[in-house]
């Protein structure tokens, strides 16, 4: 049996470049259904085209913005009505920004980055954790970046918001401590090679390698992995969980 054969998985940010690798891995590992949403119908169509035969009826997509409460709730209701119990949520949200020193950043830019890289995680967590939190074998995985560990000049908001996202995970672990859901962060310690950045130093991880490790975290093999921040630093970690 495939490792994810019985699981319905929501990938928030699944139409993004790292999210694509996660979605592809979930389908490859045999997930019963993978559910994604994007505000852009064309992005969803492009993702289906790139996934090819993998994008069968096991891939379910919604044109919606999960960073907006009303959209998140509408998708949630549709999932419950049409697809049954979700077993795992993966939040691969936000994006990179680098521009000015922190003391010069326009407040409008700050608020946009706050919404995209932190508030979006809050909205998805508050929408979907109550759906899966009481289910045995369920998991919620944050995807975070190396800026959480490293202050980067002229990219200060990325470090600040990534660090705050780590604390969000820690708080949720405490608040859901009496429930079976496993809550973890996968922190990507290298820049990620994606379809728009296919080349880089040899030690940089690919989106599909991120997906392979995330598939392990979702699987029953990781049943004892809970409340952790796992720093994905190299391919050896990916090979180890793939054995």
């Amino acid at each position: 049996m495939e490792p994810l054969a019985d699981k319905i998985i929501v990938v928030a940010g699944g139409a993004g470049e790292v999210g694509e690798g996660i979605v592809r891995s979930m389908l490859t590992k045999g997930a019963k259904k993978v559910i994604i949403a994007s505000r852009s119908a064309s992005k969803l169509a492009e993702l289906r085209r790139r996934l090819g035969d993998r994008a069968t009826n096991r891939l379910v997509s919604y044109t919606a913005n999960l960073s907006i409460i009303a959209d998140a709730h509408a998708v949630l209701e549709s999932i419950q009505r049409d697809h049954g119990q979700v077993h795992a949520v993966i939040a691969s949200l936000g994006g990179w920004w680098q521009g000015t020193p922190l003391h010069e950043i326009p407040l409008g830019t700050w608020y946009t980055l706050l919404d995209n890289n932190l508030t979006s995680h809050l909205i998805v967590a508050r929408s979907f954790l109550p759906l899966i939190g009481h289910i045995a074998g369920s998991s919620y995985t944050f995807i975070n970046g190396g800026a959480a560990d490293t202050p980067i000049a002229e990219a200060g908001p990325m470090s600040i918001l990534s660090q705050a996202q780590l604390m969000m995970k820690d708080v949720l672990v405490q608040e859901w401590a009496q429930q079976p859901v496993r809550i973890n962060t996968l922190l990507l310690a290298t820049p990620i090679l994606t379809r728009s950045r296919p080349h880089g130093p040899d030690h940089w991880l690919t989106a599909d390698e991120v997906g392979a490790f995330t598939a392990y975290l979702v699987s029953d093999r990781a049943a004892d992995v809970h409340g952790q921040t796992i720093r994905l630093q190299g391919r050896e970690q990916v090979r180890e969980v793939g054995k």
Side-chain angles (χ1 to χ4, degrees):
M1 176 181 276
E2 296 284 358
L4 303 181
D6 61 340
K7 296 189 182 295
I8 296 177
I9 301 166
V10 172
V11 183
E17 299 207 356
V18 174
E20 178 179 327
I22 294 172
V23 169
R24 184 161 37 242
S25 292
M26 298 300 141
L27 293 169
T28 299
K29 295 294 184 181
K32 183 177 179 180
K33 288 182 181 177
V34 179
I35 299 171
I36 62 173
S38 172
R39 71 190 79 182
S40 169
S42 63
K43 277 190 175 182
L44 294 172
E46 289 167 9
L47 177 61
R48 284 186 177 275
R49 178 182 56 78
R50 285 191 297 272
L51 291 172
D53 291 343
R54 293 186 183 88
T56 63
N57 58 2
R58 291 189 296 129
L59 179 64
V60 178
S61 59
Y62 294 94
T63 303
N65 182 356
L66 294 183
S67 299
I68 297 174
I69 291 175
D71 277 20
H73 286 179
V75 169
L76 186 62
E77 290 174 2
S78 294
I79 291 171
Q80 291 177 297
R81 182 185 66 242
D82 299 333
H83 304 292
Q85 179 60 55
V86 171
H87 304 93
V89 176
I90 300 154
S92 178
L93 299 166
W96 182 252
W97 178 90
Q98 192 165 10
T100 62
L102 197 58
H103 71 281
E104 294 179 0
I105 186 170
L107 281 181
T109 300
W110 169 265
Y111 291 136
T112 297
L113 293 170
L114 178 65
D115 283 347
N116 291 342
N117 292 278
L118 191 63
T119 306
S120 60
H121 278 283
L122 175 63
I123 291 171
V124 171
R126 65 176 276 173
S127 299
F128 286 93
L129 259 175
L131 176 66
I132 68 171
H134 309 286
I135 305 302
S138 62
S139 66
Y140 192 104
T141 305
F142 290 89
I143 306 296
N144 204 338
D149 287 338
T150 306
I152 301 172
E154 299 188 350
M158 295 296 94
S159 296
I160 293 166
L161 298 174
S162 295
Q163 183 61 226
Q165 188 195 130
L166 289 182
M167 183 55 70
M168 183 183 294
K169 180 267 294 178
D170 290 341
V171 170
L172 290 171
V173 167
Q174 294 297 314
E175 292 178 344
W176 288 83
Q178 304 306 312
Q179 302 300 331
V181 63
R182 297 184 294 110
I183 304 173
N184 296 289
T185 288
L186 182 60
L187 192 152
L188 310 180
T190 79
I192 305 302
L193 299 177
T194 64
R195 62 179 181 270
S196 67
R197 183 173 60 185
H199 305 296
D202 289 344
H203 70 282
W204 286 12
L205 294 160
T206 68
D208 281 19
E209 287 168 331
V210 173
F213 198 95
T214 307
Y216 156 72
L217 287 178
V218 168
S219 75
D220 294 338
R221 289 181 58 207
D224 295 330
V225 182
H226 173 52
Q228 295 190 25
T229 294
I230 301 157
R231 287 165 172 81
L232 189 59
Q233 297 175 315
R235 292 189 173 87
E236 184 57 37
Q237 289 168 275
V238 180
R239 286 194 290 266
E240 188 65 28
V241 302
K243 291 179 180 176

